Amino acid sequence: MSKTRYKNQKESNEAIAKAYIENNYTNSQNKLLLVSKANYGKRSSNVCYSAVDDKGMNFYEFNNNAEQNLMLIERYEWADFSSVTIDHSIAKSVFTFVGHGENRDITIEVKGKEVEQVIRNHSSMEVNVVKRPVWTKVLGYRSQTTWKMFMASTVYTLILLFILHPLLPAATHNFIMGLALLILFLSIIGLFVGLIKPKWVLPKFKIKTRKRVLFSYLYLIISCFFIAVAFTDGQSTSTPASTQVSSSQNSVTVSSKKDGADSSKQKVEKNDSDKTAKEEKRQKAEEQAVKEEAKQKAEEQAAKEEAKRKAEEQAAKEKAEQKAQEQAAKEEAERKAQEQAAKEEAERKAEEQAAKQEAERKAQQQAASQQSTPSSSTSNSGNYKPFENDPSDDQQSNMSCSGQIKGNKNSKIYHVPGGAYYDRTQDNIVWFCSEADAQAAGYRKSQR
């Protein structure tokens, strides 16, 4: 929107900014919730406006002399930040956004609590609101600077005095003036004593320093002086004699007070050097104690870190040893499995060799029997019939346990019913009633 258009309409800067922002959000997917004046810090010296929507916050810079009044300078997305700290005061709110990059400090005027509510409703950020007493939000006390609070307290006291003076009856003026002079006198004495021993005159304060004594009692002195002057001017002039007597009495009282203050000042100056030396010695002792305590804490922290490092190294070492043991156990198991497989293979070959030898032996016996048979019987028999094993010729022993555990006398291997070689073993059979009997006789069990 051009500058000329808004000048013709004689609209305020805030109205121009709001209209521009609403127009800018017309085609946006984000929902505009509120517009407020903002302080963008050192990034921009011009007036800035914040546009808060459901996804984040836009910052516009307002320049009344430019062709385009508002210009978008930056946008913050709620998702880019993990937490926000909010410090509310009467006229503004300071937002400190904490994210993966550097922190962002933004000051929102007037509508700070509304922005806080938007953040709570439309983001997952952790919201931390700074809690402070109500009086710290008053102008002059927000920064917690000593001299600013002193000036503000003095100004507020004068304003209060200006309001109360015409409201209080004239009969109370003398009493108020006398009370103010008494407090003034006591404040002067307290100021001198407090500059030497702050804790004597600051019983209710946690921080007892000479600076606090100076500002506190100087405020009392100035306030009481103005109160005494204000209520002295309000006295009636109808009794001049009594006024003169009262003035003379006051002058005598002030003189006596001044003399007392001078004598007190001399005593204070006399002992000031000794007390200053003692104070410096005490401060040095406290500083030395603080240094020693800091050194001790540093040593304890270093010892804790060293113990933690050793514990981590020990844990890593034990973990490595455990892994090595597991690897060794795994390798040992593989080796045993290989040995077992090799043993079974050897037993199988031994059984096959024994079976082969037995077959060869029977073949030799058959050949021998064929050679001893008369040639006439061969010619009378007709067709040739191949050799068939006759179970009655098989040698068997311990027939009382027949049908149970079968052993081969040649290979010294026994077979249980259902085994792979139980039925195939037919020669040199030894029967056993149990596996224990077979093992007692020196036989070992077949692997198949």
Side-chain angles (χ1 to χ4, degrees):
M1 295 184 179
S2 64
K3 176 180 67 175
T4 306
R5 173 186 171 183
Y6 289 113
K7 283 188 174 180
N8 293 336
Q9 295 177 355
K10 296 182 180 180
E11 294 177 336
S12 64
N13 292 342
E14 187 171 358
I16 294 173
K18 187 174 181 181
Y20 178 88
I21 292 172
E22 290 176 351
N23 183 65
N24 193 27
Y25 269 85
T26 302
N27 298 323
S28 176
Q29 296 180 352
N30 300 329
K31 181 180 179 181
L32 179 63
L33 300 176
L34 60 94
V35 178
S36 177
K37 225 174 180 182
N39 183 0
Y40 205 48
K42 296 181 180 180
R43 295 173 179 263
S44 176
S45 58
N46 296 326
V47 178
C48 293
Y49 290 90
S50 64
V52 181
D53 55 62
D54 56 343
K55 298 294 180 59
M57 182 186 300
N58 287 342
F59 285 93
Y60 298 88
E61 183 182 50
F62 186 88
N63 189 350
N64 206 19
N65 297 321
E67 182 65 24
Q68 185 175 345
N69 297 108
L70 280 184
M71 180 178 65
L72 179 64
I73 54 178
E74 191 163 357
R75 174 173 175 81
Y76 294 158
E77 295 286 346
W78 302 139
D80 294 338
F81 302 100
S82 58
S83 64
V84 60
T85 301
I86 307 173
D87 187 3
H88 291 298
S89 61
I90 294 177
K92 62 182 181 179
S93 300
V94 179
F95 291 75
T96 301
F97 292 95
V98 179
H100 301 294
E102 61 179 344
N103 298 347
R104 294 285 189 272
D105 291 332
I106 302 298
T107 301
I108 304 295
E109 297 184 8
V110 181
K111 298 183 180 180
K113 291 189 177 180
E114 297 180 17
V115 176
E116 176 191 348
Q117 194 62 36
V118 170
I119 293 174
R120 290 182 183 275
N121 294 337
H122 297 279
S123 73
S124 59
M125 280 188 287
E126 179 184 355
V127 180
N128 302 312
V129 180
V130 177
K131 295 183 178 179
R132 57 167 65 186
V134 177
W135 64 270
T136 59
K137 299 181 180 181
V138 180
L139 183 64
Y141 295 93
R142 291 178 295 184
S143 63
Q144 297 293 293
T145 306
T146 306
W147 70 270
K148 288 184 179 181
M149 292 192 293
F150 170 77
M151 296 297 295
S153 300
T154 305
V155 172
Y156 293 146
T157 302
L158 293 177
I159 294 173
L160 183 63
L161 179 61
F162 179 78
I163 296 173
L164 292 178
H165 183 272
L167 298 178
L168 294 175
T172 62
H173 288 189
N174 289 335
F175 173 76
I176 294 174
M177 183 187 67
L179 182 62
L181 290 174
L182 177 61
I183 297 175
L184 175 64
F185 173 70
L186 295 177
S187 299
I188 293 173
I189 296 176
L191 177 62
F192 285 104
V193 175
L195 292 176
I196 300 171
K197 207 70 175 177
K199 65 179 182 179
W200 287 358
V201 296
L202 296 175
K204 297 295 183 179
F205 291 88
K206 293 182 179 180
I207 302 176
K208 301 176 175 61
T209 61
R210 291 183 175 86
K211 182 178 178 181
R212 184 175 287 275
V213 170
L214 178 63
F215 281 99
S216 300
Y217 282 85
L218 191 60
Y219 163 72
L220 289 174
I221 293 171
I222 294 174
S223 299
C224 292
F225 174 78
F226 281 110
I227 293 172
V229 170
F231 286 94
T232 299
D233 293 338
Q235 291 182 3
S236 175
T237 58
S238 61
T239 56
S242 62
T243 303
Q244 291 178 0
V245 173
S246 178
S247 300
S248 61
Q249 290 178 354
N250 289 336
S251 62
V252 172
T253 304
V254 171
S255 299
S256 62
K257 291 179 180 179
K258 186 176 181 181
D259 294 337
D262 292 337
S263 61
S264 300
K265 185 177 181 180
Q266 290 176 359
K267 291 180 181 179
V268 168
E269 290 176 352
K270 184 177 180 180
N271 297 325
D272 184 70
S273 59
D274 295 335
K275 291 183 178 180
T276 303
K278 290 181 180 179
E279 186 69 15
E280 291 178 354
K281 185 176 181 181
R282 184 183 63 80
Q283 290 180 354
K284 289 182 179 179
E286 290 177 353
E287 292 176 355
Q288 183 65 24
V290 170
K291 289 181 180 179
E292 291 178 355
E293 185 178 359
K295 183 178 179 181
Q296 182 179 1
K297 288 183 178 180
E299 292 176 353
E300 291 176 355
Q301 183 65 21
K304 288 181 179 179
E305 293 178 354
E306 181 66 19
K308 183 179 179 180
R309 184 185 62 81
K310 289 184 178 180
E312 292 176 351
E313 291 179 353
Q314 182 65 22
K317 185 177 179 181
E318 292 176 356
K319 187 175 181 180
E321 291 178 353
Q322 183 179 0
K323 287 184 177 180
Q325 291 176 358
E326 291 177 353
Q327 183 65 23
K330 185 177 180 181
E331 293 176 355
E332 180 67 17
E334 292 177 354
R335 185 184 62 79
K336 288 183 177 180
Q338 293 175 355
E339 290 178 355
Q340 182 67 20
K343 185 176 180 182
E344 292 176 357
E345 183 66 16
E347 290 176 354
R348 184 183 63 79
K349 289 183 177 181
E351 291 175 355
E352 291 178 353
Q353 183 65 24
K356 184 178 180 181
Q357 291 176 357
E358 183 66 21
E360 291 176 353
R361 184 185 63 79
K362 286 186 177 183
Q364 291 175 359
Q365 289 178 357
Q366 182 180 1
S369 63
Q370 287 178 356
Q371 290 177 1
S372 62
T373 304
S375 58
S376 59
S377 62
T378 302
S379 60
N380 295 330
S381 62
N383 296 330
Y384 175 77
K385 186 177 180 181
F387 172 79
E388 292 181 0
N389 181 51
D390 186 2
S392 61
D393 296 335
D394 296 339
Q395 297 179 5
Q396 298 187 18
S397 59
N398 195 15
M399 295 300 293
S400 62
C401 296
S402 177
Q404 297 185 29
I405 304 300
K406 182 189 290 186
N408 189 314
K409 190 175 183 180
N410 294 335
S411 63
K412 292 293 183 179
I413 296 173
Y414 71 89
H415 306 273
V416 296
Y421 294 100
Y422 186 85
D423 296 328
R424 294 171 59 180
T425 303
Q426 298 178 356
D427 298 325
N428 297 316
I429 297 173
V430 181
W431 294 102
F432 299 98
C433 295
S434 64
E435 291 186 36
D437 295 338
Q439 292 173 1
Y443 286 73
R444 60 181 178 82
K445 186 177 180 180
S446 173
Q447 299 297 326
R448 298 178 67 184

